[in-house]
Amino acid sequence: MNQTVQETLLGAIRTIPDYPKPGILFRDITTLLGDARAFRRAVDELVHPYAGTRVEKIAGIEARGFILGGAIAHQLSAGFVPIRKKGKLPHDTVRIAYSLEYGVDEMEMHRDGVRPGEKVILVDDLIATGGTAEAATKLLQQMGAEVVAACFVIDLPDLGGRSKIEALGVPVRTLIAFAGH
Ligand code: AMP
């Protein structure tokens, strides 16, 4: 029987309990990335609504967003822009602070990574509280990019991340969801 995309993806993601700390169910996509069919299906399904539309750049969030984002950029004939933890990018950067569960962190992109008016899709593997993607979206918007969508393989809907991104005027696309953290 043919598996649906959701069945393929669910079957390819490994869940690690209590990683990186007690109570967290870590959704490990390395098993999905290592499965040629699941990786292709995830990328195909994420790009599907945007095929044939004009998208100049894919912005990927370090580190798993780089892997998915690179494949998506290739598929859509778009450029790729890395959004990284602070201090990793070599040229002139713009930076934004964002809250983590304990404390704050900062992320950066190159100042010339996007041009005003460019259409950009933001990519990461998973959206939980949405804090990371919200900061990345704000950074791109501050640089004048038009963020046309934010795409994730996995949604943790109980944590409410989607509405943070939608509040910035950006549609969110996710492929599968897991209850809880
Ligand atoms: P958040 O800012 O809360 O939406 O967290 C999203 C970021 O943390 C993404 O880059 C995810 O890869 C990572 N992350 C958060 N929760 C999990 C989880 N349960 N399993 C795997 N990665 C996670």
Side-chain angles (χ1 to χ4, degrees):
M1 208 174 66
N2 281 342
Q3 278 188 320
T4 65
V5 176
Q6 281 72 26
E7 286 166 347
T8 301
L9 300 182
L10 283 168
I13 290 164
R14 173 165 59 191
T15 297
I16 319 267
D18 299 320
Y19 182 88
K21 53 186 184 188
I24 302 288
L25 288 173
F26 191 83
R27 307 301 179 174
D28 174 20
I29 66 152
T30 62
T31 40
L32 182 153
L33 298 172
D35 176 334
R37 184 162 171 273
F39 187 15
R40 173 175 277 283
R41 290 197 97 179
V43 171
D44 284 351
E45 195 65 16
L46 282 174
V47 304
H48 181 69
Y50 316 105
T53 69
R54 190 170 62 89
V55 176
E56 276 94 10
K57 300 272 167 65
I58 305 301
I61 298 177
E62 186 172 359
R64 292 178 292 264
F66 290 1
I67 303 161
L68 293 163
I72 290 170
H74 177 77
Q75 196 92 323
L76 292 179
S77 300
F80 179 82
V81 188
I83 298 184
R84 300 206 64 177
K85 316 239 162 68
K86 69 164 185 272
K88 304 269 192 174
L89 289 167
H91 195 53
D92 188 19
T93 56
V94 283
R95 184 180 290 191
I96 190 166
Y98 63 105
S99 309
L100 298 170
E101 198 172 344
Y102 305 105
V104 292
D105 208 344
E106 287 172 298
M107 63 174 69
E108 292 180 337
M109 61 181 282
H110 276 144
R111 190 177 291 281
D112 60 4
V114 294
R115 279 195 287 272
E118 278 188 330
K119 291 185 191 295
V120 177
I121 293 178
L122 180 68
V123 177
D124 202 359
D125 65 329
L126 178 149
I127 181 163
T129 66
T132 309
E134 180 187 37
T137 302
K138 286 181 176 167
L139 195 57
L140 290 163
Q141 290 179 334
Q142 281 168 19
M143 297 312 294
E146 183 189 338
V147 185
V148 294
C151 294
F152 310 86
V153 175
I154 304 163
D155 188 12
L156 303 184
D158 297 349
L159 300 182
R162 175 184 293 266
S163 61
K164 283 203 188 88
I165 312 306
E166 289 173 346
L168 298 172
V170 176
V172 174
R173 178 161 177 78
T174 60
L175 302 182
I176 53 172
F178 291 103
H181 289 227

